[in-house]
């Protein structure tokens, strides 16, 4: 019996890790510095440089939270779980 590919195995972790390592380091934050133009996502590592302008605070908070350090931590967790799972033999009769 052939094992079905999991959805999360389709994520290219190598490419995602490469992008996260190349991105502006954090910490990132969202906030309003120029109210007449909406809010911005900032990176403290760049002296508070603006990374992106936003119109919806919920989107800015999400972008700031999904920063390179968070992405790298998630990749590490996925790689660890995959390593643990791969150490078990696949048994199609075991549920």
């Amino acid at each position: 019996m052939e094992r079905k590919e999991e959805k999360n195995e389709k994520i290219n972790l190598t490419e995602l890790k490469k992008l996260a390592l190349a991105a502006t380091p954090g910490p990132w934050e969202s906030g309003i510095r120029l109210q007449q133009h909406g809010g911005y996502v900032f990176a403290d590592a760049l002296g508070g440089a603006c990374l992106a302008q936003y119109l919806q605070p919920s989107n800015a908070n999400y972008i700031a939270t999904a920063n390179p350090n968070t992405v790298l931590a998630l990749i590490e967790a996925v790689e660890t779980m995959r390593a643990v799972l791969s150490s078990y033999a696949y048994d199609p009769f075991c549920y």
Side-chain angles (χ1 to χ4, degrees):
M1 178 176 230
E2 197 170 294
R3 184 176 174 198
K4 288 184 179 180
E5 183 176 87
E6 298 291 331
K7 271 189 173 182
N8 64 0
E9 290 177 345
K10 294 180 182 179
I11 297 170
N12 186 336
L13 294 181
T14 303
E15 182 64 21
L16 189 58
K17 189 173 189 176
K18 178 180 162 187
L19 292 171
L21 289 169
T24 302
W28 291 16
E29 63 181 65
S30 62
I32 296 175
R33 295 205 180 159
L34 299 171
Q35 283 186 299
Q36 70 270 23
H37 298 295
Y40 295 84
V41 176
F42 304 95
D44 285 345
L46 294 177
C50 174
L51 294 176
Q53 183 177 3
Y54 68 88
L55 299 175
Q56 295 182 328
S58 58
N59 289 343
N61 291 335
Y62 175 77
I63 292 167
T65 302
N67 63 66
N69 289 336
T70 301
V71 171
L72 291 171
L74 290 170
I75 290 170
E76 183 178 348
V78 169
E79 290 173 341
T80 299
M81 286 186 272
R82 285 182 177 172
V84 169
L85 289 173
S86 70
S87 68
Y88 293 96
Y90 176 69
D91 183 350
F93 301 106
C94 182
Y95 298 96

